[in-house]
Amino acid sequence: MGGHRLNLSTLVFSVAVIIVVSHSAQSLALKHSPRFLRKLAATGTPFAPPQFHYETRYFQQRLDHFSFSDLPTFPQRYLISTEHWVGPQRLGPIFFYCGNEGDIEWFAQNTGFVWEIAPRFGAMVVFPEHRYYGESTPFGSAKEAYKDATTLSYLTAEQALADFSVLITDLKQNFSAKDCPVVLFGGSYGGMLAAWMRLKYPHIAVGALASSAPILQFEDIVPPETFYNIVSNSFKRESFTCFNYIKQSWNEITSTGQTYNGLERLTKTFNLCQKLKSTGDLYDWLDSAYSYLAMVNYPYPSDFLTILPGHPIKEVCKRIDGAPAGTNILERIYEGVNVYYNYTGKEKCFELDDDPHGMNGWDWQACTEMVMPMSSNQDSSMFPPYEYNYTFVKEECWNDYGVKPRPKWITTEFGGHVRK
Amino acid sequence: MGGHRLNLSTLVFSVAVIIVVSHSAQSLALKHSPRFLRKLAATGTPFAPPQFHYETRYFQQRLDHFSFSDLPTFPQRYLISTEHWVGPQRLGPIFFYCGNEGDIEWFAQNTGFVWEIAPRFGAMVVFPEHRYYGESTPFGSAKEAYKDATTLSYLTAEQALADFSVLITDLKQNFSAKDCPVVLFGGSYGGMLAAWMRLKYPHIAVGALASSAPILQFEDIVPPETFYNIVSNSFKRESFTCFNYIKQSWNEITSTGQTYNGLERLTKTFNLCQKLKSTGDLYDWLDSAYSYLAMVNYPYPSDFLTILPGHPIKEVCKRIDGAPAGTNILERIYEGVNVYYNYTGKEKCFELDDDPHGMNGWDWQACTEMVMPMSSNQDSSMFPPYEYNYTFVKEECWNDYGVKPRPKWITTEFGGHVRK
């Protein structure tokens, strides 16, 4: 009897492994889609005491600018400072930051550049929040706004750009500033918005400064390996051995995970609070650290995504490479990612993201318009090899949100392909 | 008793006159809004045997390009000819006519220019139909599509432009013609679409020929008197006496209408099939004739809106001015408008438009986005003086469609104001 039970449970275990692996591959597929701020944007770091001064205001926006459906309006939050503005007579410019996928105060506090140059240009500064993020949620609450595909359906880049255009038009009228030039700013997804807005609303903005804005990361415009190659090169540039340790670590994780008690050993090595459920979850956790490190590899200390030293990738590699002889690869990796997850040394253990498919604004956008193919190349990338599979993405999006992505829409609406 | 009754009915009569006048002013307000093809586009002239050869195809379009609502798709009809196209190898251009507010076959048959130049350029010719017109109706039928503000809500210029962009992108892929330049064509509202599309989708079209496209007829960009001044000048240029007869005729109509049996006399003078209900209806009928005559004042015989001689305004004025001495003003006017309403001489009597507020695509567009202020100036216009009143328009639109116009939206979305 006991033997039978054992066999049966072994069988169940094998099936479970297959499911886990297949889930991991799918999960990787979605994550390997556009790697933007995602949940970080919702949680962020605890705000430092405000460095910059502004007023907080609200503007009632149409939920749908492009139809005449009878939908409720929603309050769009915006931060505004006229402290240094020289006014309409002297054609004082309006510096307009295109809010991206998160709380606008977080972006305002972390975009010193705009605040620093505003006095020199005598500029008004406006930081509007992107619809569906922060306090700018339709339907009265984030819970209602994120309920399902119907309530989320107006969370698109075109609607956000129309919000900005309507807000600017209204502000200009209220400040009698019709002739004052508007200059757009933005980074990451907000940079994409700034660039697209300059293209689509040239009558509204005379210029745009778009930073780290992957507007060409759609369809087949750039090779799908581009993103992970750039991240990998940021590590390779610091240290080839560091790059190689990371590159080798994935197989170590997989083979360790497949051994008896392997997941427990990984849990211990990486000091996780909860027992690791699958190696895929650990992959994601490490992938996040490396990717975000490359995004915020500033030459000075920062606390945008988390508290980090200047040149954080250099610091990661220093710890990976510099561990005492005999330290195994996974221990080295653990030392390295501590820079990202625990630079202050205050974390007792690490919580992995246990709800990767929760309702989340950016994931919705990635499942609708922001279909950005991303692969990881066997040779040039330090990440596990992965070939982008649109079918997986489509299925995940259907399962998570009941929505069909439109992978060709962004290039149709905003362009990007170069004609011969 | 008899005296009392008489007084009472006189009182009722006076009240009725006030109501009629006020209705007339309101009705005038709506009509004086954008004077486009309106119902003509639905009925048109009976098609002449096709002069140009094309295939008719259908393309499934999203009803809403700018949200991810789960809405039914609809078939967009388009006419296509590759007869003279030199193909992708030789980068043969694609001539793309931006379908306007009517049956696309009607426009195709009346846009000889595109067909005539296509062979010279080795161009493909495409005539896509505008959503909600002709056969390109959502929800399975025109009746369903025009049911109410909810079903009509996706009838907007932005959605139509997105239809065109998606269609072009698909055609280019199917014809392996990604590098072939697209040139847009359009007249009147279709010309507005061509101009706006070139602005908004520069990656899709390399050029646009927009003819008679009043993209500046919004808000306060041009004086509201512009349209009626241009129409009036077309008559004044032919003959100052003709211009003056028309200018004087409105008071004649009003004073005649106010006399005992006046509406019957007007009915007879203008050979109407049904007894005239109000002088306002006659105003509209005449206003239509003059306005459309100016729109189709071609130097050659045509049958676009109706069968007309070349230089039709010259012909109208010849009849108005040339009537025998002693002919009164209204008889002269009747002789004149016969050119427009009955050039073939086949009409036995005239039916006025008895349902000016019926569900109609262009009137919906005028009540939502296409808010084009139009006034008639006492001095320079030959039309009755009329001051544009947005409040009237708004009320009419609410009564007719249950929709609130957005008078500032077009300039926000497409620009038009000139910055100093």
Side-chain angles (χ1 to χ4, degrees):
Chain A
M1 276 280 277
H4 273 285
R5 287 182 77 129
L6 191 66
N7 286 347
L8 195 63
S9 75
T10 311
L11 184 67
V12 169
F13 183 70
S14 307
V15 171
V17 166
I18 290 164
I19 290 168
V20 165
V21 169
S22 125
H23 171 82
S24 154
Q26 287 200 21
S27 153
L28 211 56
L30 189 66
K31 290 288 174 57
H32 276 227
S33 284
R35 195 155 280 280
F36 281 79
L37 297 172
R38 305 181 66 247
K39 284 204 165 176
L40 287 172
T43 53
T45 45
F47 296 145
Q51 307 172 52
F52 310 114
H53 302 289
Y54 47 74
E55 268 183 71
T56 301
R57 295 190 195 163
Y58 298 84
F59 180 79
Q60 284 299 127
Q61 287 282 10
R62 290 184 67 89
L63 188 51
D64 188 357
H65 295 280
F66 304 105
S67 85
F68 282 79
S69 307
D70 188 19
L71 293 162
T73 59
F74 72 94
Q76 177 174 34
R77 177 166 58 153
Y78 64 100
L79 317 177
I80 184 166
S81 166
T82 55
E83 194 183 339
H84 299 287
W85 190 42
V86 297
Q89 303 298 319
R90 294 171 61 194
L91 295 180
I94 298 168
F95 286 178
F96 192 90
Y97 178 93
C98 297
N100 28 343
E101 70 279 27
D103 187 301
I104 192 60
E105 293 208 277
W106 183 44
F107 293 112
Q109 293 298 341
N110 283 284
T111 311
F113 177 67
V114 172
W115 297 104
E116 284 163 21
I117 64 168
R120 267 201 240 179
F121 288 89
M124 181 192 300
V125 173
V126 186
F127 275 78
E129 192 160 61
H130 191 294
R131 53 168 55 201
Y132 285 82
Y133 294 99
E135 295 185 5
S136 301
T137 47
F139 304 110
S141 72
K143 198 184 158 202
E144 283 301 306
Y146 282 73
K147 204 170 62 180
D148 55 34
T150 303
T151 58
L152 276 165
S153 75
Y154 309 98
L155 170 47
T156 68
E158 300 90 300
Q159 299 281 6
L161 294 182
D163 290 339
F164 295 159
S165 302
V166 170
L167 176 61
I168 290 171
T169 304
D170 188 81
L171 286 174
K172 281 189 150 193
Q173 183 158 8
N174 288 343
F175 282 104
S176 306
K178 281 193 181 174
D179 295 325
C180 294
V182 172
V183 180
L184 308 169
F185 295 83
S188 189
Y189 169 54
M192 297 162 76
L193 294 175
W196 287 335
M197 181 140 175
R198 173 72 184 121
L199 283 172
K200 290 294 215 183
Y201 296 88
H203 54 287
I204 286 187
V206 300
L209 197 157
S211 171
S212 303
I215 53 171
L216 302 183
Q217 183 69 54
F218 292 91
E219 277 193 274
D220 55 354
I221 303 176
V222 296
E225 297 82 9
T226 307
F227 176 80
Y228 281 110
N229 281 349
I230 291 171
V231 173
S232 300
N233 284 338
S234 296
F235 285 78
K236 203 193 269 176
R237 200 167 41 219
E238 291 299 342
S239 150
F240 190 67
T241 52
C242 174
F243 168 91
N244 265 333
Y245 278 128
I246 296 171
K247 197 173 167 72
Q248 288 161 28
S249 68
W250 311 102
N251 276 343
E252 282 288 312
I253 291 168
T254 303
S255 57
T256 305
Q258 281 166 350
T259 61
Y260 179 72
N261 264 350
L263 291 175
E264 271 164 20
R265 281 164 55 209
L266 290 170
T267 304
K268 214 167 172 186
T269 304
F270 286 93
N271 191 22
L272 307 179
C273 306
Q274 319 294 334
K275 196 197 150 186
L276 188 62
K277 288 182 198 134
S278 80
T279 50
D281 290 350
L282 185 56
Y283 272 41
D284 283 344
W285 189 68
L286 296 172
D287 178 333
S288 285
Y290 304 137
S291 299
Y292 289 127
L293 276 162
M295 291 182 188
V296 294
N297 192 29
Y298 303 125
Y300 44 79
S302 69
D303 63 351
F304 178 39
L305 299 185
T306 181
I307 294 174
L308 287 175
H311 298 291
I313 290 180
K314 192 189 286 290
E315 182 64 26
V316 170
C317 284
K318 201 190 277 177
R319 296 201 189 177
I320 288 179
D321 291 346
T327 311
N328 74 34
I329 290 184
L330 295 187
E331 287 163 350
R332 287 174 188 269
I333 295 299
Y334 174 69
E335 288 304 319
V337 295
N338 255 276
V339 171
Y340 183 75
Y341 285 118
N342 195 17
Y343 189 66
T344 59
K346 288 182 185 161
E347 300 293 334
K348 300 277 173 268
C349 61
F350 300 106
E351 297 281 357
L352 304 193
D353 187 358
D354 57 352
D355 181 22
H357 300 293
M359 283 283 180
N360 163 320
W362 182 255
D363 285 344
W364 163 266
Q365 293 192 258
C367 270
T368 49
E369 299 183 313
M370 301 298 159
V371 182
M372 304 168 95
M374 291 195 189
S375 296
S376 172
N377 181 279
Q378 171 73 56
D379 296 326
S380 50
S381 161
M382 68 183 196
F383 293 88
Y386 174 75
E387 198 167 341
Y388 180 73
N389 184 329
Y390 174 63
T391 308
F392 275 163
V393 173
K394 206 166 74 172
E395 282 169 11
E396 284 256 337
C397 292
W398 184 253
N399 294 338
D400 287 356
Y401 294 101
V403 77
K404 284 181 201 149
R406 282 196 273 157
K408 290 181 178 179
W409 171 242
I410 288 288
T411 56
T412 301
E413 179 67 11
F414 296 113
H417 289 287
V418 176
R419 238 194 326 264
K420 273 178 224 154
Chain B
M1 277 280 277
H4 275 283
R5 289 184 74 128
L6 189 68
N7 287 347
L8 195 63
S9 73
T10 312
L11 184 68
V12 171
F13 183 68
S14 308
V15 172
V17 166
I18 291 162
I19 291 168
V20 165
V21 169
S22 126
H23 170 81
S24 153
Q26 286 202 21
S27 151
L28 211 58
L30 189 65
K31 291 288 174 58
H32 277 227
S33 283
R35 185 133 322 258
F36 281 78
L37 296 172
R38 305 179 67 246
K39 284 205 163 173
L40 287 171
T43 53
T45 45
F47 295 145
Q51 306 172 54
F52 310 114
H53 301 288
Y54 47 74
E55 268 183 71
T56 301
R57 295 190 195 164
Y58 297 84
F59 181 80
Q60 284 301 126
Q61 287 282 10
R62 288 184 69 88
L63 187 52
D64 188 357
H65 295 281
F66 304 104
S67 86
F68 282 79
S69 306
D70 188 19
L71 293 161
T73 59
F74 71 95
Q76 177 174 35
R77 177 166 58 152
Y78 64 101
L79 317 177
I80 184 165
S81 166
T82 55
E83 194 184 337
H84 299 286
W85 191 42
V86 296
Q89 302 299 319
R90 294 171 60 193
L91 295 179
I94 298 169
F95 286 178
F96 192 91
Y97 178 93
C98 297
N100 29 344
E101 70 280 27
D103 187 302
I104 193 60
E105 293 207 276
W106 184 45
F107 294 112
Q109 292 298 340
N110 283 283
T111 311
F113 177 67
V114 172
W115 297 103
E116 284 162 21
I117 64 169
R120 267 200 241 178
F121 289 89
M124 182 193 299
V125 173
V126 186
F127 275 79
E129 192 160 60
H130 191 295
R131 54 167 55 203
Y132 285 82
Y133 294 99
E135 295 184 4
S136 302
T137 46
F139 304 112
S141 71
K143 199 185 157 198
E144 283 301 306
Y146 281 73
K147 204 170 63 181
D148 55 33
T150 303
T151 58
L152 275 165
S153 76
Y154 308 98
L155 170 47
T156 69
E158 301 89 302
Q159 299 280 5
L161 295 183
D163 290 339
F164 295 159
S165 303
V166 170
L167 175 60
I168 291 171
T169 305
D170 187 82
L171 286 175
K172 281 188 150 192
Q173 183 160 5
N174 288 343
F175 283 103
S176 306
K178 281 193 180 172
D179 294 326
C180 294
V182 172
V183 180
L184 308 168
F185 294 84
S188 187
Y189 168 54
M192 297 162 77
L193 294 176
W196 287 335
M197 180 140 177
R198 173 72 185 120
L199 283 171
K200 289 295 214 183
Y201 296 88
H203 54 287
I204 287 189
V206 300
L209 197 156
S211 171
S212 302
I215 53 171
L216 302 183
Q217 183 70 55
F218 291 92
E219 279 194 272
D220 56 352
I221 303 177
V222 296
E225 298 83 9
T226 307
F227 177 79
Y228 282 111
N229 281 349
I230 291 171
V231 173
S232 299
N233 285 338
S234 297
F235 285 78
K236 202 194 269 176
R237 200 165 43 218
E238 292 299 342
S239 150
F240 190 66
T241 52
C242 173
F243 168 89
N244 265 332
Y245 277 127
I246 295 169
K247 195 172 169 72
Q248 289 162 27
S249 69
W250 311 102
N251 277 342
E252 280 289 313
I253 291 168
T254 302
S255 58
T256 305
Q258 280 166 350
T259 60
Y260 178 71
N261 263 350
L263 291 175
E264 271 164 22
R265 281 164 55 209
L266 290 171
T267 304
K268 214 168 169 186
T269 303
F270 286 93
N271 190 21
L272 307 177
C273 306
Q274 320 292 333
K275 197 198 150 188
L276 188 63
K277 288 182 198 134
S278 80
T279 50
D281 290 350
L282 185 56
Y283 273 41
D284 284 343
W285 188 68
L286 296 171
D287 178 333
S288 285
Y290 304 137
S291 299
Y292 289 127
L293 277 161
M295 290 181 188
V296 294
N297 192 28
Y298 304 125
Y300 44 78
S302 69
D303 63 350
F304 177 39
L305 300 185
T306 180
I307 294 173
L308 286 175
H311 298 291
I313 290 180
K314 191 189 287 289
E315 181 65 25
V316 169
C317 285
K318 201 190 277 176
R319 295 199 189 180
I320 289 179
D321 290 345
T327 311
N328 73 37
I329 291 184
L330 296 187
E331 286 162 352
R332 286 175 189 270
I333 296 298
Y334 175 68
E335 289 303 318
V337 295
N338 255 275
V339 171
Y340 183 74
Y341 285 119
N342 194 18
Y343 189 65
T344 58
K346 286 183 186 159
E347 300 294 333
K348 299 277 172 266
C349 61
F350 300 106
E351 297 281 358
L352 303 192
D353 186 358
D354 57 351
D355 180 23
H357 301 293
M359 284 285 182
N360 164 322
W362 181 255
D363 285 344
W364 163 266
Q365 292 191 259
C367 269
T368 50
E369 300 182 313
M370 301 298 158
V371 183
M372 305 167 93
M374 292 196 189
S375 295
S376 171
N377 181 279
Q378 171 74 55
D379 297 326
S380 50
S381 160
M382 67 182 197
F383 292 87
Y386 174 75
E387 199 167 341
Y388 179 74
N389 184 328
Y390 175 63
T391 308
F392 277 162
V393 173
K394 206 167 72 172
E395 283 169 11
E396 284 255 339
C397 291
W398 184 254
N399 294 337
D400 287 355
Y401 294 102
V403 77
K404 284 180 201 148
R406 282 196 273 157
K408 290 179 178 180
W409 171 244
I410 288 289
T411 55
T412 302
E413 178 68 11
F414 297 113
H417 289 287
V418 176
R419 239 193 327 261
K420 273 177 224 154

